[in-house]
């Protein structure tokens, strides 16, 4: 016989493998089929629809490649491709430079206020993209921007200091919005690397600047490339900034072209599908490159088994300059956008801050949005969809995690791949795919809340899978083996043993999906129908119809709610 230690490592897996045959097989087949339906059906209909041209009148539609010919041979296609790439690359570069510099300041130097910055830097990610875009319009619009108006009056200028309605303005707003993501990822990289090489460079006489560029960044190279690719993909698929800032001045990217194709008259889902396939191809290429880059990451590994706490670089008098950088960033990314939203929400019309303006402050905008039937209906729909989608995502992905982590059937990896597939779907692409699917399938959910629920559940499956898998990997298989030997069924094992032990990770994932569901605009804008609005769509429509004060008021209320939810998430998240 083998040693007790050997038995201890083998028996738990064999016990888990023996879980009730028929019930276990039914669970695996059922969940695999559901995941395949959620992810592969929209993809299939998207590809089908891109080769389909609807008929005119009573004439049937035909299969054709004309959608692709129109999409990629039209004169406007090359400028759209150029704008999309420049916008995505500029966003990635801006967000990465800001996030990486701030991560180095907070993790590697003795700069004051580092803790305050770490706590507040997540706010831009919490605030929906539509509100972040609107706040910068309120600040740097050539006509109404507060900063532009103040500079004009102070210096007698005729031209605006900075025009947010430009490709550079779009890059700045989107890059600033996603800089906290780069900050979080690069902070994790700086914390995990062995600081011995950096300290050796400093002791050898290298300056902090030379150490940062020649040692620190090279050690973080896999993470650096990964973060840049992630930010580039976010820039390619984003919709809010191109729609709010780019569309009014005719700056088009692929996401805005897809929106115009769907919302035009008549709606052209085939052309939207052709544009969408290019976005999918670019996302797949980015993910492939990411896998190749991170596949060789062990060449840069410096994490050792010993505890390694880096010695913070003493900046001397320069520490006050870096502290000013932190404060300036928080002012630009957090304080100014939120303050300008609050300011405009309390005014009856556009006014610069002044004593006269203070006399005109009113809560009429808040009263208006709280009594508007569409807002009340949208708030109820948003809450219902957020709670339902988060619950469905976490329940489904908890079982997906069990299949991929705890069972050994052939092809189980395919379930994980299918559940992760929606990560390549930009929101507008998901909207187009589901439109095609449920205009063709004999399932009467198009134009109802159910199609929005399907969109949210499908889009956020990858986030649920990661949270559920992480929670399950922390649970030893001995507990499942003991339950099996005690005669527990699969349902009893899952509900009474695994689910309670996974609770903290599942709750953290649930709150995260609630937050991102409330923020979601791109797919909602293509799938909503009268009576089934959500808050993000209502804000977009209010802005389009010329009610900026009401948009600001609704945005402030939503930002407060989302910030509260994010604080709860940080408290319940593992390691939070």
């Amino acid at each position: 016989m083998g040693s007790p230690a050997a038995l201890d490592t083998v028996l738990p897996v064999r016990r888990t493998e023996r879980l009730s045959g028929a019930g276990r097989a039914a669970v695996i087949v059922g969940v695999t089929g559901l995941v395949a339906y959620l992810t592969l059906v929209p993809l299939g209909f998207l590809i089908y629809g891109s080769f389909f041209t609807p008929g005119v009148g009573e004439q049937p539609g035909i299969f054709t490649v004309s959608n692709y010919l129109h999409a990629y041979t039209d004169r406007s296609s090359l400028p759209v491709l150029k704008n999309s790439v420049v916008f995505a690359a500029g966003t990635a570069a801006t967000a990465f430079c800001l996030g990486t510099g701030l991560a180095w300041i907070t993790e590697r130097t003795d700069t004051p206020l580092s803790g305050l910055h770490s706590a507040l830097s997540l706010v831009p990610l919490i605030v929906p993209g539509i509100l972040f875009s609107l706040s910068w319009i309120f600040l740097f619009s050539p006509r109404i921007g507060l900063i532009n108006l103040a500079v004009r009056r102070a210096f007698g200028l005729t031209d605006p200091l900075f025009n947010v309605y430009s490709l550079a303005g779009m890059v700045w707003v989107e890059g600033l919005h996603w800089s906290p993501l780069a900050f979080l990822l690069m902070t994790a990289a700086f914390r995990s690397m062995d600081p011995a090489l950096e300290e050796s460079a400093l002791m050898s006489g290298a300056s902090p600047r030379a150490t940062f560029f020649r040692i620190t960044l090279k050690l973080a190279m896999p993470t650096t490339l990964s973060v840049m690719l992630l930010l580039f993909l976010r820039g390619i698929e984003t919709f809010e900034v191109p729609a709010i800032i780019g569309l009014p001045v005719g700056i088009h990217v692929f996401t805005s072209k897809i929106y115009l194709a769907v919302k035009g008259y008549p709606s052209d889902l085939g052309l939207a599908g052709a544009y969408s396939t290019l976005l999918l191809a670019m996302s797949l290429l980015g993910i492939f490159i990411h896998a190749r880059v991170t596949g060789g990451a062990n060449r840069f590994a410096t994490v050792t088994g010993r505890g390694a706490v880096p010695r913070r670089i003493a900046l001397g008098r320069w520490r006050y300059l870096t502290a000013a950088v932190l404060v300036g960033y928080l002012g630009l990314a957090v304080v100014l956008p939120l303050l300008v939203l609050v300011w405009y929400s309390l005014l009856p019309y556009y006014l610069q801050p002044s004593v006269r303006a203070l006399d005109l402050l009113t809560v009429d905008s808040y009263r208006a949005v709280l009594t508007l039937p569409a807002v009340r209906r949208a708030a109820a729909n948003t809450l219902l969809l957020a709670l339902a989608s988060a619950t469905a995502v976490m329940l489904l992905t908890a079982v997906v995690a069990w299949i991929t982590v705890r069972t050994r059937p052939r092809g189980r990896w395919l379930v994980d791949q299918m559940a992760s597939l929606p990560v390549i779907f930009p929101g507008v692409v998901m909207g187009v795919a589901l439109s095609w699917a449920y205009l063709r399938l004999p399932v009467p959910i198009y134009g109802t809340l159910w199609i929005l629920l399907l969109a949210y559940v499908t889009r956020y499956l990858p986030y649920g899978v990661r949270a559920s898998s992480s929670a399950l990997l922390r649970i030893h298989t001995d507990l499942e083996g003991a339950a099996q030997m005690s005669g527990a069924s699969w349902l009893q094992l899952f509900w009474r043993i695994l689910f309670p032990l996974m609770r903290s990770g599942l709750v953290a994932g649930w709150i995260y999906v609630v937050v991102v569901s409330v923020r979601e605009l791109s797919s909602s804008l293509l799938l909503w129908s009268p009576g089934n609005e959500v808050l993000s769509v209502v804000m977009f429509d209010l802005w389009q119809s010329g009610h900026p004060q009401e948009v600001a008021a609704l945005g402030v209320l939503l930002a407060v709610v989302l910030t509260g939810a994010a604080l709860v998430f940080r408290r319940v998240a593992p390691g939070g």
Side-chain angles (χ1 to χ4, degrees):
M1 293 182 62
S3 66
L7 290 174
D8 187 56
T9 59
V10 174
L11 282 178
V13 174
R14 295 177 64 184
R15 291 170 186 156
T16 303
E17 284 291 314
R18 292 200 306 265
L19 284 175
S20 54
R24 173 174 168 274
V27 169
I28 294 174
V29 171
V31 169
T32 301
L34 180 57
V35 172
Y37 176 79
L38 289 174
T39 58
L40 299 183
V41 168
L43 179 61
F45 272 97
L46 176 68
I47 296 173
Y48 160 81
S50 68
F51 289 99
F52 187 82
T53 298
V56 179
E58 297 183 356
Q59 296 179 356
I62 59 173
F63 283 94
T64 176
V65 295
S66 62
N67 293 320
Y68 287 92
L69 292 176
H70 178 78
Y72 304 123
T73 62
D74 187 76
R75 287 184 177 181
S76 65
S77 296
L78 190 59
V80 169
L81 176 61
K82 177 184 175 182
N83 288 342
S84 299
V85 173
V86 171
F87 174 64
T91 293
T94 302
F96 178 79
C97 291
L98 287 172
T100 302
L102 295 169
W104 180 77
I105 289 174
T106 56
E107 290 298 315
R108 287 293 194 260
T109 70
D110 61 347
T111 301
L113 305 177
S114 296
L116 176 65
H117 174 268
S118 298
L120 295 179
S121 62
L122 297 181
V123 173
L125 288 181
I126 299 168
V127 176
I130 182 173
L131 294 180
F132 201 76
S133 302
L134 293 178
S135 66
W136 280 95
I137 290 175
F138 291 144
L139 287 168
F140 277 116
S141 167
R143 186 172 60 88
I144 63 169
L146 290 180
I147 295 179
N148 278 330
L149 290 176
V151 171
R152 279 181 178 179
R153 291 184 179 180
F155 298 99
L157 300 178
T158 56
D159 295 327
L161 176 67
F162 180 72
N163 184 7
V164 75
Y165 287 111
S166 62
L167 192 56
M170 293 168 58
V171 166
W172 167 252
V173 174
E174 188 72 8
L176 190 63
H177 189 213
W178 287 107
S179 59
L181 178 62
F183 170 78
L184 289 175
L185 296 175
M186 294 306 296
T187 294
F190 290 154
R191 286 178 180 174
S192 63
M193 69 174 60
D194 188 347
L197 295 176
E198 297 169 284
E199 293 176 358
S200 298
L202 290 170
M203 293 178 64
S204 300
S207 66
R209 178 180 176 276
T211 301
F212 174 72
F213 283 103
R214 300 181 64 179
I215 304 295
T216 308
L217 276 187
K218 288 186 177 181
L219 293 178
M221 186 60 68
T223 303
T224 296
L225 297 176
S226 178
V227 172
M228 287 289 289
L229 283 169
L230 175 62
L231 293 170
F232 181 83
L233 290 175
R234 292 300 311 170
I236 283 290
E237 71 175 37
T238 194
F239 173 74
E240 288 86 347
V241 168
I244 299 295
I245 297 177
L247 277 182
V249 292
I251 301 175
H252 294 157
V253 296
F254 277 113
T255 52
S256 57
K257 292 288 281 188
I258 292 171
Y259 169 74
L260 292 176
V262 174
K263 288 301 181 180
Y265 184 80
S267 180
D268 196 341
L269 285 175
L271 180 60
Y275 283 128
S276 297
T277 53
L278 177 63
L279 280 184
L280 282 179
M282 295 176 74
S283 297
L284 279 171
L285 179 61
I287 292 172
F288 173 76
I289 295 173
H290 174 267
R292 293 295 300 270
V293 168
T294 55
N298 59 341
R299 294 183 294 112
F300 299 87
T302 62
V303 179
T304 64
R306 69 180 188 273
V309 178
R311 178 175 62 86
R312 291 181 177 266
I313 299 172
L315 297 179
R317 288 179 297 178
W318 291 101
R319 64 199 295 261
Y320 300 108
L321 176 61
T322 53
V325 170
L326 295 184
V327 172
Y329 171 82
L330 291 177
L332 287 174
V334 179
V335 179
L336 269 179
L338 292 180
L339 280 182
V340 75
L341 285 177
V342 173
W343 176 253
Y344 272 124
S345 71
L346 295 172
L347 288 173
Y349 48 85
Y350 291 114
L351 277 176
Q352 283 186 278
S354 64
V355 175
R356 174 174 173 267
L358 292 176
D359 294 334
L360 297 175
L361 295 183
T362 175
V363 294
D364 286 348
S365 296
Y366 290 91
R367 189 179 298 113
V369 297
L370 291 176
T371 57
L372 195 65
V375 171
R376 294 204 303 269
R377 186 169 58 244
N381 290 339
T382 300
L383 181 62
L384 176 63
L385 287 170
L387 297 180
S389 60
T391 302
V393 165
M394 297 317 300
L395 287 176
L396 178 58
T397 56
V399 183
V400 170
W402 174 79
I403 293 173
T404 57
V405 173
R406 289 293 200 256
T407 66
R408 294 294 182 268
R410 292 181 179 179
R412 68 186 183 280
W413 59 271
L414 189 59
V415 184
D416 182 68
Q417 293 299 313
M418 287 191 300
S420 301
L421 182 64
V423 78
I424 71 170
F425 275 81
V428 290
V429 174
M430 180 63 70
V432 174
L434 289 177
S435 296
W436 266 112
Y438 292 100
L439 283 171
R440 294 288 169 177
L441 290 174
V443 182
I445 65 172
Y446 188 82
T448 70
L449 281 179
W450 287 105
I451 196 169
L452 288 171
L453 178 62
L454 274 180
Y456 292 3
V457 171
T458 306
R459 280 203 72 190
Y460 303 127
L461 275 179
Y463 305 109
V465 168
R466 299 285 78 80
S468 298
S469 298
S470 298
L472 186 57
L473 285 169
R474 293 194 296 269
I475 303 173
H476 200 281
T477 53
D478 278 350
L479 296 173
E480 298 165 71
Q484 164 65 19
M485 293 181 66
S486 300
S489 66
W490 179 86
L491 184 60
Q492 290 174 319
L493 165 70
F494 189 81
W495 190 252
R496 301 180 64 181
I497 304 296
L498 295 180
F499 197 81
L501 294 174
M502 296 168 65
R503 184 169 53 197
S504 63
L506 294 179
V507 169
W510 185 86
I511 295 174
Y512 179 78
V513 175
V514 167
V515 171
V516 294
S517 296
V518 172
R519 290 169 39 111
E520 212 289 323
L521 172 66
S522 51
S523 57
S524 303
L525 202 57
L526 301 186
L527 297 172
W528 76 281
S529 59
N532 297 314
E533 307 93 338
V534 291
L535 285 174
S536 58
V537 170
V538 169
M539 285 191 292
F540 186 82
D541 282 350
L542 284 172
W543 174 257
Q544 294 286 84
S545 58
H547 295 87
Q549 279 72 33
E550 287 78 4
V551 175
L554 187 55
V556 170
L557 296 174
L558 186 59
V560 170
V561 172
L562 290 177
T563 301
L567 291 176
V568 174
F569 170 78
R570 290 198 67 179
R571 289 185 65 87
V572 302

